[in-house]
Amino acid sequence: MTDQTPEIQLEETGSKGRYFLRGPGGAEAEMTFSKAGEHLMIIDHTEVPDAFRGQGAGLRLVTRAVEEARAAGKKIIPLCPFANAQFKRHPEWADVLKS
């Protein structure tokens, strides 16, 4: 039996980047961000197509960004409404939230 959960991938180009999941039929869920210096990430957009709805894909993407920011000593500004809502639901992420 194979794992049906797609792996989160990261693409970065210059000061922009995205975490994404590629699903059946090429559907992609993504969370885009901008880098503001070496220690700050601005999450600006999260998009989850119908193929991923109800699977926690958006939360997985934001969680991955939080984990990587924490490991790298970075802070996050969640401009995206979805990411901002997730930060409010997860007070344990306060250490990476740029106040």
Side-chain angles (χ1 to χ4, degrees), residues 55-86:
Q55 299 175 35
L59 177 58
R60 285 183 59 209
L61 294 167
V62 177
T63 300
R64 172 73 176 269
V66 167
E67 291 167 351
E68 291 192 2
R70 184 176 285 140
K74 295 181 180 182
K75 296 287 186 180
I76 296 175
I77 297 174
L79 289 184
C80 163
F82 175 80
N84 191 25
Q86 293 306 314

Side-chain angles (χ1 to χ4, degrees), residues 6-77:
E7 182 180 331
I8 295 174
Q9 298 177 60
L10 171 63
E11 285 182 346
E12 294 181 278
T13 52
S15 64
K16 302 276 187 186
R18 72 181 188 130
Y19 290 98
F20 66 99
L21 295 162
R22 189 167 288 133
E28 286 186 352
E30 72 173 357
M31 185 209 74
T32 61
F33 62 90
S34 297
K35 300 176 202 173
E38 292 183 31
H39 302 290
L40 186 62
M41 170 193 291
I42 301 167
I43 298 175
D44 45 38
H45 181 71
T46 305
E47 185 169 337
V48 178
D50 289 341
F52 285 100
R53 299 248 184 240
Q55 299 175 35
L59 177 58
R60 285 183 59 209
L61 294 167
V62 177
T63 300
R64 172 73 176 269
V66 167
E67 291 167 351
E68 291 192 2
R70 184 176 285 140
K74 295 181 180 182
K75 296 287 186 180
I76 296 175
I77 297 174

